[in-house]
Amino acid sequence: MSTALSPFAARRARLCAAMQPGAVAILPTAPEVPRNSDSDYPYRHDSYFYYLTGFTEPDSVLVLVAAHADKPAQAILFCRQKNVEREIWDGFRHGPDGARIAFAFDAAFPIDELDSEMARLLANAPAAYYALGHSAALDMQMKNWLLAVRRQARGGVTAPAVAHDLLAILDEMRLFKDDAEQAVMLRAATVSGIAHARAMRASKPGMFEYEIEAELLHEFRRNGAQYPAYTPIVASGANACVLHYNANNAQTRDGDLVLIDAGCELDSYAADITRTYPVNGRFSGPQRTLYELVLAAQNAALDVVRPGQKYSDIHDAATRVLAQGMLDLGLLAKDKFGGVDDVIAERAHQQFYMHGTGHWLGLDVHDAGAYRDVTLDDKPSRPLQPGMVLTVEPGIYVRPAEGVPEQFWHIGIRIEDDVLVTPATQGGHTILSAAAPKLADDIEQLMRP
């Protein structure tokens, strides 16, 4: 294994150390996907592959061989050959030699040699690690490679007797962000926060949602982000009560709230921020009342983001504040419930708050990593630990219904931040997305003409 100190090489070394001695791991990147007859969708590499390599070209496979006896671990890349003619059309290719040097691999081969080399690399390996059942194409390749090894049985060659799910190890690794990842995620969240502020400043009644979306996308790209991390949600008025609304084609009206759920992808890492604001720059009384309730719920959730707290404590804290507010504001009838515990037990709050309060964040918007400790019989929610990054995103969505005060109808509010869990000595957490205005007074001040 290369002794390079890049974070990618360090992750490869950690993975090899977790594997059975002499075992082989195989990890391909994502394929290119045609969009129409003569165009592909913008290419996005596989997140697991990038996590271990930093390599972003398609048609690539990483193979790791764990150390065994006196043989050191190896990191081997298979990728496209240099091709001057294709580079004229499609751009630069590293080629095997260039990639080996630039990304600190121990060896690199043309992708066309993958089949023959795998038959050699898997020979006498005790186990194979790959994403079991995630790709029919890879499953078929593995079958063919194992058959090629078994054909050498008369010569005393053995095929791997055990297959392990590679992603189970990588998921746990990816859950904890190293210093390099934390720095990129802070930058992605900061760029995204600046974009949210730009959208607020630009908003005026009568604008179409897609015009506001354009302000976000402009700011993402202007600051070096390569893509939006997901299709932005720009939902005005009643559209904000649709959780995954992304048509973004309605015209805003004076008095509407606008809910924006958007984040950029920068150097492969996602930001995920939601802000809700009045398109005319001034919250109405009912809007501010609900906004302050959601903000109080988020503050209660953030208060429990620290090492040792269970992940589920975040949702529980937010839900209790929201449930009490629903009772106090008449969204839920007090004469039907004895209090917050009854509301939650009967799930009555889900009429207005029907989703969770967050998720892991990283290379993927809903990032890798288990939320429960599956090694224990009751599968408890896992405790938070430094290096985890998650979103905290309570909301409230009020659709017209019998018994629901009409002043709150068609109001949808969500407030979402990206949060890094830090050691208790550092406060327990850091909000990465602080660049996005959040207090109602700050939003109104920002939008003032």
Side-chain angles (χ1 to χ4, degrees):
M1 175 71 69
S2 170
T3 59
L5 297 178
S6 77
F8 303 105
R11 294 168 199 157
R12 296 195 294 265
R14 284 175 56 206
L15 177 57
C16 282
M19 292 164 53
Q20 184 176 342
V24 176
I26 304 100
L27 183 61
T29 195
E32 293 180 293
V33 180
R35 185 179 186 276
N36 54 32
S37 62
D38 195 31
S39 179
D40 292 335
Y41 283 101
Y43 181 68
R44 173 52 158 82
H45 44 266
D46 176 79
S47 292
Y48 293 100
F49 179 87
Y50 179 83
Y51 179 74
L52 293 175
T53 66
F55 194 67
T56 59
E57 293 183 22
D59 297 326
S60 304
V61 176
L62 171 67
V63 178
L64 298 176
V65 183
H68 179 59
D70 59 345
K71 295 181 179 179
Q74 280 192 300
I76 304 166
L77 180 73
F78 293 83
C79 65
R80 300 179 303 183
Q81 286 271 42
K82 292 289 288 183
N83 185 318
V84 174
E85 182 177 352
R86 289 313 312 168
E87 290 184 56
I88 292 172
W89 290 92
D90 302 326
F92 174 77
R93 298 182 180 187
H94 281 87
D97 289 339
R100 178 181 55 79
I101 296 168
F103 296 90
F105 294 107
D106 298 297
F109 298 94
I111 190 66
D112 293 343
E113 297 179 18
L114 179 64
D115 288 342
S116 59
E117 288 296 323
M118 286 309 305
R120 176 181 66 83
L121 291 167
L122 287 169
N124 298 317
Y129 290 73
Y130 66 102
L132 298 176
H134 284 258
S135 164
L138 180 58
D139 288 343
M140 182 57 68
Q141 284 181 304
M142 284 298 306
K143 177 182 177 180
N144 291 335
W145 294 332
L146 293 173
L147 286 173
V149 175
R150 289 170 183 144
R151 291 190 190 102
Q152 305 173 60
R154 292 184 180 180
V157 176
T158 60
V162 179
H164 298 280
D165 185 10
L166 178 62
L167 302 193
I169 302 174
L170 287 176
D171 284 350
E172 191 66 14
M173 289 176 61
R174 284 178 54 184
L175 181 56
F176 297 90
K177 275 58 181 181
D178 58 34
D179 290 346
E181 292 177 292
Q182 292 177 26
V184 175
M185 293 190 71
L186 174 59
R187 187 176 165 214
T190 300
V191 168
S192 299
I194 293 170
H196 276 264
R198 177 192 178 105
M200 291 177 187
R201 286 193 302 269
S203 294
K204 298 290 185 295
M207 289 181 69
F208 284 88
E209 293 163 343
Y210 55 74
E211 294 180 89
I212 299 172
E213 179 185 8
E215 299 290 337
L216 293 163
L217 299 178
H218 174 92
E219 199 68 20
F220 289 169
R221 199 69 184 104
R222 191 176 76 87
N223 285 282
Q226 290 82 9
Y227 311 101
Y230 51 97
T231 302
I233 295 170
V234 182
S236 61
N239 294 333
C241 293
V242 180
L243 298 183
H244 290 163
Y245 175 84
N246 59 23
N248 300 353
N249 59 7
Q251 189 173 24
T252 65
R253 300 175 301 173
D254 193 16
D256 277 352
L257 289 180
V258 176
L259 184 156
I260 295 180
D261 187 337
C264 72
E265 180 178 298
L266 192 151
D267 294 346
S268 300
Y269 284 82
D272 184 3
I273 302 171
T274 306
R275 292 292 186 264
T276 309
Y277 63 93
V279 72
N280 64 10
R282 298 290 294 179
F283 287 95
S284 71
Q287 289 170 350
R288 183 180 275 264
T289 295
L290 290 184
Y291 188 90
E292 296 293 351
L293 172 59
V294 175
L295 186 59
Q298 194 201 38
N299 286 334
L302 288 169
D303 283 345
V304 300
V305 178
R306 59 182 183 271
Q309 293 286 136
K310 293 186 297 183
Y311 176 84
S312 59
D313 291 342
I314 300 169
H315 180 67
D316 293 345
T319 301
R320 294 192 69 84
V321 172
L322 289 170
Q324 184 64 59
M326 293 171 194
L327 290 170
D328 294 342
L329 297 175
L331 293 172
L332 296 175
K334 286 187 176 181
D335 59 358
K336 292 184 179 180
F337 304 98
V340 168
D341 290 336
D342 289 341
V343 168
I344 293 173
E346 297 185 33
R347 300 184 178 180
H349 63 284
Q350 292 185 357
Q351 179 179 352
F352 307 105
Y353 181 50
M354 62 294 294
H355 60 76
T357 307
H359 51 80
W360 305 131
L361 183 69
L363 285 165
D364 297 327
V365 178
H366 286 237
D367 205 36
Y371 293 88
R372 294 181 176 274
D373 186 346
V374 297
T375 65
L376 300 177
D377 291 341
D378 58 347
K379 297 180 175 58
S381 180
R382 70 185 302 162
L384 300 176
Q385 295 175 255
M388 294 175 169
V389 179
L390 59 143
T391 66
V392 178
E393 51 175 312
I396 196 164
Y397 314 91
V398 185
R399 295 172 179 80
E402 184 178 353
V404 175
E406 191 170 347
Q407 62 180 328
F408 299 126
W409 286 8
H410 302 301
I411 295 179
I413 297 168
R414 185 164 62 253
I415 304 172
E416 177 182 20
D417 279 296
D418 303 346
V419 185
L420 167 67
V421 182
T422 63
T425 54
Q426 299 175 18
H429 72 264
T430 297
I431 298 176
L432 303 177
S433 49
K438 182 165 64 174
L439 298 179
D441 288 345
D442 290 346
I443 291 172
E444 290 187 344
Q445 177 65 33
L446 177 72
M447 297 182 68
R448 191 167 295 160

